[in-house]
Amino acid sequence: MQNFVRFMKDESGATAIEYGLIAALIAVAIIGAVTAVGTGVSTNFQTIADKL
């Protein structure tokens, strides 16, 4: 019974899950930003290539 009570009070797993979710959100934000910047740069290069 004591092991069950100790298991229910243990929050270390929840903390690891929270850090994992934060890392995933940061990764999604970075991917979105890089994609947006890449599209803009590609458009600029295409414009320059067309003018040449």
Side-chain angles (χ1 to χ4, degrees):
M1 188 65 176
Q2 289 177 341
N3 287 336
F4 179 73
V5 172
R6 193 176 316 140
F7 175 75
M8 293 304 290
K9 289 183 179 181
D10 185 17
E11 294 184 6
S12 62
T15 303
I17 291 172
E18 290 169 355
Y19 283 133
L21 289 172
I22 290 169
L25 289 173
I26 290 171
V28 167
I30 289 172
I31 290 169
V34 168
T35 301
V37 169
T39 303
V41 169
S42 176
T43 302
N44 287 341
F45 279 131
Q46 188 61 44
T47 303
I48 292 169
D50 291 342
K51 288 184 179 183
L52 288 175

